[in-house]
Amino acid sequence: MLGRAGPGLLRGLNFLIPLLDRIRYVQSLKEIVINVPEQSAVTLDNVTLQIDGVLYLRIMDPYKASYGVEDPEYAVTQLAQTTMRSELGKLFLDRVFRERESLNANIVDAINQASDCWGIRCLRYEIKDIHVPPRVKESMQMQVEAERRKRATVLESEGMRESAINVAMGQKQAQILVSEAEKAEQINKAAGEANAMLVRAKAKAEAIQLLAAALAQQHGSVAASLSVAEQYVSAFSKLAKDSNTVLLPANTGDITHMVAQALRIYTTLTKTQAAKTQDEIPPAHGDPQPPSTEVLKAESATSS
C-alpha cells in the first residue's frame, strides 16, 4: 500500500498484491501470559523487597497494538513493574502480605488506564514471590512466635477462667440441691411427726374410751383399784434408779398400808369425778330439786 496501513486481513481467503502489499505485524488475539521479572521495591517503612509476578493480557484492537506502540508486551511489562513499585511504596511491610489481592487489583486498574490507547487490556496480575531480607525475616519470625505465645497465654487464661466459672456453677447447683433436699427432708419429717402425733392421739383416745367402758362394767372399779395399787408399788421400786435423792413416806415398809392408801386416793378421785358429773347434768323440769347444803343450814339457823 506504498507505506500506508491497509485494512487488516480477516478470516478466510485474502489476496495480496506482490511487491505492494506485505504483512507487517501479526497479532494474536488469544490471552497472553507474561512473566514480570523480579524487581526491588521499597515499602513505606523503608524495607527493600524483591518481588516478581505474572501478567495476563489480551489484545483487543490489533491496529492500535501494531501502530500505537512499538513493542506492546515490553511496554506493558515496564508499566506493571513501575506500578508495582509505586503501590508497594504506599504500604507497610505487614500490610503487603495481608493485602495482596487489593494490590493486584490496583495494579490491573493502573495498567488498563495507561494501555487503553494501545488496544491492550490487562485481565489480571498475580504476585508470585515476595523475598524479604534475612534479618527482616528473622525479626518477623520472632514477631510471629511472640504473637503465638500471646495467643496461647490468652487461650490458657480463658480456659482457666471458664474452668473456674464451671466449678463455681457446679458448687452453686450442688448447694441448691442440698438445701432443697434438706427442705424436703424437714417437710417429710414434720409430716411424719404430725401423722405420728395424730396416730398416738387417736390411739390414746381409743384407749381412754376402752378404759372408760371397762370401768363402767361390773367390778370395773375394783380392777382399776388393783391396777393403781400395782402402779403405786412399782413407782416406789423405781425411785432409787432414777435419782440419788429419794423422798419416801414414813410407813414405807408397810405394804398393806400403802396399798390401802392408794385405794383410798383412787376412791376419793372417783367420787369427786362422779359428783362433778352429776352436778353438770341439768335436772328435769318435773322433778323437784333437792335443797342444797347452804339452804338447809339457813333453815336450821332460823328454826333455832
Side-chain angles (χ1 to χ4, degrees), residues 236 239 246-252:
F236 272 103
L239 285 176
V246 181
L247 299 176
L248 298 175
N251 54 354
T252 307

Side-chain angles (χ1 to χ4, degrees), residues 63-179:
Y63 182 83
K64 291 182 178 180
S66 300
Y67 297 98
V69 61
E70 182 65 26
D71 190 347
E73 294 183 1
Y74 178 77
V76 172
T77 302
Q78 295 298 316
L79 182 60
Q81 289 181 338
T82 55
T83 306
M84 172 63 70
R85 284 194 293 268
S86 176
E87 293 295 331
L88 284 177
K90 301 176 183 179
L91 300 176
F92 289 96
L93 178 62
D94 295 336
R95 296 184 58 187
V96 171
F97 298 95
R98 289 181 298 178
E99 298 185 3
R100 295 182 66 168
E101 294 183 1
S102 61
L103 188 62
N104 295 333
N106 293 335
I107 293 173
V108 170
D109 292 339
I111 293 174
N112 287 330
Q113 291 178 4
S115 63
D116 186 36
C117 60
W118 300 340
I120 299 174
R121 181 172 182 80
C122 180
L123 302 178
R124 57 187 177 276
Y125 180 88
E126 298 293 338
I127 298 175
K128 291 173 60 177
D129 294 322
I130 300 177
H131 301 284
V132 183
R135 298 183 63 180
V136 177
K137 185 181 294 185
E138 292 177 1
S139 62
M140 292 176 61
Q141 187 67 27
M142 294 175 61
Q143 182 180 0
V144 171
E145 292 178 357
E147 187 69 24
R148 289 178 179 175
R149 286 196 298 268
K150 175 184 176 182
R151 289 199 298 266
T153 305
V154 171
L155 291 176
E156 184 178 0
S157 63
E158 290 179 355
M160 295 176 63
R161 183 187 65 179
E162 293 294 334
S163 176
I165 292 174
N166 292 335
V167 171
M169 292 295 294
Q171 292 178 354
K172 176 182 176 181
Q173 293 178 0
Q175 291 179 358
I176 292 174
L177 293 177
V178 169
S179 63

Side-chain angles (χ1 to χ4, degrees), residues 11-289:
R11 298 177 186 177
L13 184 61
N14 294 276
F15 295 96
L16 298 177
I17 300 174
L19 301 177
L20 294 179
D21 297 334
R22 64 174 180 170
I23 299 174
R24 181 65 177 174
Y25 299 102
V26 177
Q27 303 292 347
S28 175
L29 301 181
K30 297 180 180 179
E31 186 174 349
I32 303 172
V33 180
I34 301 175
N35 289 321
V36 179
E38 186 178 73
Q39 61 178 337
S40 61
V42 181
T43 61
L44 188 60
D45 49 354
N46 296 324
V47 177
T48 303
L49 301 178
Q50 298 294 328
I51 187 168
D52 56 359
V54 180
L55 182 64
Y56 298 85
L57 55 87
R58 174 177 292 175
I59 296 176
M60 307 301 295
D61 190 347
Y63 182 83
K64 291 182 178 180
S66 300
Y67 297 98
V69 61
E70 182 65 26
D71 190 347
E73 294 183 1
Y74 178 77
V76 172
T77 302
Q78 295 298 316
L79 182 60
Q81 289 181 338
T82 55
T83 306
M84 172 63 70
R85 284 194 293 268
S86 176
E87 293 295 331
L88 284 177
K90 301 176 183 179
L91 300 176
F92 289 96
L93 178 62
D94 295 336
R95 296 184 58 187
V96 171
F97 298 95
R98 289 181 298 178
E99 298 185 3
R100 295 182 66 168
E101 294 183 1
S102 61
L103 188 62
N104 295 333
N106 293 335
I107 293 173
V108 170
D109 292 339
I111 293 174
N112 287 330
Q113 291 178 4
S115 63
D116 186 36
C117 60
W118 300 340
I120 299 174
R121 181 172 182 80
C122 180
L123 302 178
R124 57 187 177 276
Y125 180 88
E126 298 293 338
I127 298 175
K128 291 173 60 177
D129 294 322
I130 300 177
H131 301 284
V132 183
R135 298 183 63 180
V136 177
K137 185 181 294 185
E138 292 177 1
S139 62
M140 292 176 61
Q141 187 67 27
M142 294 175 61
Q143 182 180 0
V144 171
E145 292 178 357
E147 187 69 24
R148 289 178 179 175
R149 286 196 298 268
K150 175 184 176 182
R151 289 199 298 266
T153 305
V154 171
L155 291 176
E156 184 178 0
S157 63
E158 290 179 355
M160 295 176 63
R161 183 187 65 179
E162 293 294 334
S163 176
I165 292 174
N166 292 335
V167 171
M169 292 295 294
Q171 292 178 354
K172 176 182 176 181
Q173 293 178 0
Q175 291 179 358
I176 292 174
L177 293 177
V178 169
S179 63
E180 290 179 354
E182 291 178 353
K183 177 181 176 181
E185 182 181 1
Q186 292 178 1
I187 292 173
N188 294 334
K189 186 177 180 180
E193 291 178 353
N195 293 331
M197 292 176 64
L198 291 176
V199 171
R200 284 196 296 269
K202 290 181 181 179
K204 190 174 182 179
E206 292 178 358
I208 292 173
Q209 291 178 0
L210 293 175
L211 181 60
L215 291 175
Q217 294 180 1
Q218 188 178 5
H219 305 295
S221 60
V222 178
S225 300
L226 179 59
S227 177
V228 170
E230 289 179 353
Q231 294 178 5
Y232 186 77
V233 174
S234 177
F236 272 103
S237 65
K238 296 180 180 178
L239 285 176
K241 296 181 180 180
D242 297 336
S243 176
N244 295 330
T245 303
V246 181
L247 299 176
L248 298 175
N251 54 354
T252 307
D254 191 357
I255 303 301
T256 305
H257 180 72
M258 293 173 61
V259 173
Q261 185 179 0
L263 292 175
R264 283 197 302 272
I265 293 172
Y266 177 74
T267 303
T268 302
L269 293 175
T270 304
K271 289 180 179 180
T272 303
Q273 185 67 26
K276 290 182 179 180
T277 305
Q278 187 176 1
D279 293 339
E280 292 175 358
I281 298 174
H285 296 285
D287 297 336
Q289 296 182 356

